[in-house]
Amino acid sequence: MTATAPAAPAAHIPSPIEPLPNQLLTALGQHRMAATGQLHALLRPTVRRQTVYTPLNELRRQGLVDYTVLPRSRGMRAWYLTGAGARMVKDFPALRGRPPYPITSATAASLKTPHTLTVLRTHLTFVADARQRGDEHGSLDWTPEVSHPLSDSEKVIPDALMHCTLTGAEQRSKLRAFVEVNRTTMSSERLASKLIDYARLWSYEPQPVGRQRSSQPVLPGLAWLRWYLVFPRILFVLTGASRQTLDNRISDLQAMAAQYPLVATMARTVPFGAAVLEDLETESPTGTVWSPLAGGAARPWTEL
C-alpha cells in the first residue's frame, strides 16, 4: 500500500478589497477630515452606520485618528488623522505623493472643519450620482488641494481635482474638473477673480531665466500639459447664503467670463459653470442645475 502524499496547502490569494480600517485611514488621508456620516456615505452606504463607527473608535484607541465634536450638532464627530496616522498612510499606494496632513489638536481641527466638510459634502453628491448612473467616481477620485505652479512664487490650488468616467452604452468618457467650493465667506469680487487665476494657469508657459536653478529642465509649452491632456473644466459650487445672494454671485462669475479678455478667450475651449450645493443634493450633479458661465441655459455638468 502506497502512502498518499499530503496535499500542498492552497496558495494564499490576497483580497483585492482593502479592509475597512485601511479604507477609513485612506479616506481621511485623502480628504483631510470627515464626519462619521460622511465616511458612512462614502465607504459603506448600504450598511448600518455602526459598521463604520466601531473601527473608527478602534483606530482612535490605537492613536491613529481623533475627532472634534461639531458645534450645534448633538455630538456629531469630525474625524482626522493624528501625527501617527499621517505617518502610517503616507506610504499607502493610493496616497503616494500626497503630503502628510496631521492635525495637532481638536482646536486646530475645529478651525478647518466648516470648509473641509463642505468640500467633502460636495464630493458626496457626485459619488451618489455616479453610483446611481453606473459611472466611475469613487472616494479616491476627488483630490483636495492639488497645487499647480503659476510662477516661482504663485500657485493655483483648487479646492478639489475631480476625476469621473462616464460609462455610456457605446463609449467611455473621462472627465476632469477643478472644483471651487464657496461658502459665501469671501467677497463676490474675490470669488470671480479666481477665474483670472485659472485663465493664467491655462495660458502659463514657464520661461527659463538665466542658469537653471533646478536639476530638472523647464519643458517648453503650456505648463498644464504636464498633467492633463485636456484642461479640466471649472466648477463653482456655492452655498451658505440666500438664493438671491447665490444667484448674484453666479451673475458676477458670468460677467467676469464675458468681460475679462483672457477669461473670455479660455471660455471658448474650457467649459465652466456654477451651481448651488443644495441643488446638487436634491437634483444631482447631472441634473439641469449648472449655469454655464459663458452663457446659456442650465444643464448638467457633463454638458457644459
Side-chain angles (χ1 to χ4, degrees):
M1 181 174 180
T2 58
T4 303
H12 173 68
I13 301 175
S15 169
I17 302 175
E18 290 282 344
L20 180 55
N22 284 27
Q23 291 184 36
L24 291 166
L25 290 171
T26 301
L28 292 176
Q30 180 84 350
H31 299 286
R32 314 303 197 191
M33 183 181 295
T36 310
Q38 290 180 320
L39 290 168
H40 176 250
L42 189 66
L43 300 175
R44 294 292 190 276
T46 61
V47 301
R48 295 182 304 115
R49 185 175 296 192
Q50 190 68 26
T51 303
V52 170
Y53 191 74
T54 298
L56 280 171
N57 279 322
E58 178 59 31
L59 290 170
R60 184 169 184 260
R61 283 192 290 270
Q62 296 172 16
L64 300 175
V65 306
D66 207 344
Y67 66 81
T68 184
V69 177
L70 302 179
R72 300 181 298 278
S73 68
R74 297 183 180 180
M76 183 182 298
R77 298 176 177 184
W79 299 84
Y80 56 89
L81 295 177
T82 62
R87 288 190 294 273
M88 173 176 283
V89 305
K90 69 182 180 65
D91 292 325
F92 281 15
L95 297 176
R96 285 175 186 158
R98 291 284 286 160
Y101 198 79
I103 297 176
T104 55
S105 68
T107 300
S110 66
L111 297 176
K112 301 175 184 295
T113 298
H115 183 71
T116 303
L117 297 191
T118 304
V119 173
L120 181 50
R121 178 181 160 197
T122 303
H123 173 44
L124 289 172
T125 68
F126 286 90
V127 170
D129 192 39
R131 284 175 179 150
Q132 183 175 6
R133 289 165 46 89
D135 295 331
E136 296 177 10
H137 177 74
S139 62
L140 297 176
D141 294 321
W142 178 278
T143 309
E145 300 174 4
V146 177
S147 179
H148 300 78
L150 196 55
S151 67
D152 287 341
S153 59
E154 294 180 282
K155 298 177 181 179
V156 174
I157 306 176
D159 286 324
L161 169 65
M162 177 175 68
H163 302 253
C164 185
T165 301
L166 308 182
T167 56
E170 299 181 357
Q171 65 178 3
R172 291 161 55 86
S173 301
K174 297 182 182 297
L175 302 181
R176 291 183 177 182
F178 293 132
V179 184
E180 289 287 341
V181 179
N182 180 259
R183 298 178 295 115
T184 324
T185 55
M186 65 174 65
S187 69
S188 187
E189 180 180 1
R190 183 180 169 197
L191 175 65
S193 70
K194 287 180 175 287
L195 277 172
I196 300 176
D197 295 334
Y198 283 110
R200 292 176 61 206
L201 177 63
W202 173 75
S203 61
Y204 173 56
E205 295 189 42
Q207 300 296 324
V209 178
R211 296 182 61 185
Q212 293 291 336
R213 289 176 292 178
S214 171
S215 59
Q216 296 183 349
V218 174
L219 299 177
L222 296 168
W224 61 264
L225 285 169
R226 301 177 190 177
W227 307 289
Y228 311 111
L229 290 174
V230 177
F231 195 84
R233 59 194 62 205
I234 304 168
L235 306 178
F236 288 85
V237 179
L238 312 180
T239 189
S242 68
R243 178 65 61 159
Q244 183 62 55
T245 297
L246 300 180
D247 286 344
N248 290 341
R249 287 180 171 242
I250 292 174
S251 295
D252 291 342
L253 287 165
Q254 290 172 327
M256 177 66 76
Q259 297 171 11
Y260 194 86
L262 186 58
V263 177
T265 302
M266 178 178 67
R268 296 171 191 161
T269 57
V270 178
F272 39 82
V276 174
L277 176 53
E278 286 74 12
D279 291 342
L280 303 186
E281 293 175 324
T282 57
E283 300 187 42
S284 87
T286 50
T288 54
V289 297
W290 294 88
S291 298
L293 300 187
R299 63 197 68 179
W301 77 275
T302 54
E303 299 177 17
L304 288 169

